[in-house]
Amino acid sequence: MATDEGAGEAEVDRILAEEPDRTLSRLLSPRRLRPRTRYVAAVVPAFDAGRLAGLGLPVPDGELRPAWPAPGERPEVTEWVLPVYHHWRFGTGLDGDFEYLVRGLTPRALPGDVGTRPMDVGAAGGGLPELPAGHPGRLLDLEGALRSAGTEPRP
């Protein structure tokens, strides 16, 4: 089956520009890496819809399922094919993995508002009523992933 790779790249560029919410990704390692070891990292889809699309196969509607089954879940499948979007080789040293680096951090006191940002929800749309300026519920704290241990979330 012949494909027009340039057209595929143009579609990816269009989605990135016009629909960035469709491009959320995470890079994960399912295991601790051993020191002084060489590895190959591969970016593969986490969900079956991405796996099928990446292989050029039809993507059925329905719930999101993992791109590969849990051990023992599909014993009849002896080979699971995943598209590899990007890969690279790397090696680990004796020290310096993420955990090692985090353990080297020195904690310090931070203000209680670190990791939050005020978000104005007074004109949220979607049929919700507009809140007047100065209304106590108009500004909410948008919490980030990193925040001070002293940050107290507000309702």
Side-chain angles (χ1 to χ4, degrees), residues 33-56:
L33 302 180
R34 293 189 309 252
R36 294 186 176 169
T37 304
R38 299 198 46 79
Y39 291 94
V40 174
V43 177
V44 300
F47 296 103
D48 201 42
R51 181 183 76 84
L52 294 169
L55 294 172

Side-chain angles (χ1 to χ4, degrees), residues 43-80:
V43 177
V44 300
F47 296 103
D48 201 42
R51 181 183 76 84
L52 294 169
L55 294 172
L57 300 171
V59 179
D61 291 332
E63 66 182 62
L64 285 178
R65 297 179 317 169
W68 57 89
E73 185 177 305
R74 305 258 320 260
E76 74 279 7
V77 179
T78 58
E79 183 177 275
W80 208 255

Side-chain angles (χ1 to χ4, degrees), residues 77-143:
V77 179
T78 58
E79 183 177 275
W80 208 255
V81 179
L82 294 170
V84 176
Y85 297 130
H86 186 66
H87 72 281
W88 64 96
R89 296 177 187 279
F90 69 98
T92 55
L94 184 57
D95 289 326
D97 65 358
F98 184 76
E99 182 178 354
Y100 174 85
L101 295 172
V102 168
R103 290 186 186 280
L105 295 175
T106 303
R108 63 179 186 180
L110 296 172
D113 63 349
V114 169
T116 63
R117 171 178 284 177
M119 179 175 62
D120 187 339
V121 297
L128 295 172
E130 188 164 332
L131 301 174
H135 186 282
R138 186 170 177 116
L139 288 180
L140 299 178
D141 287 339
L142 175 64
E143 295 180 17

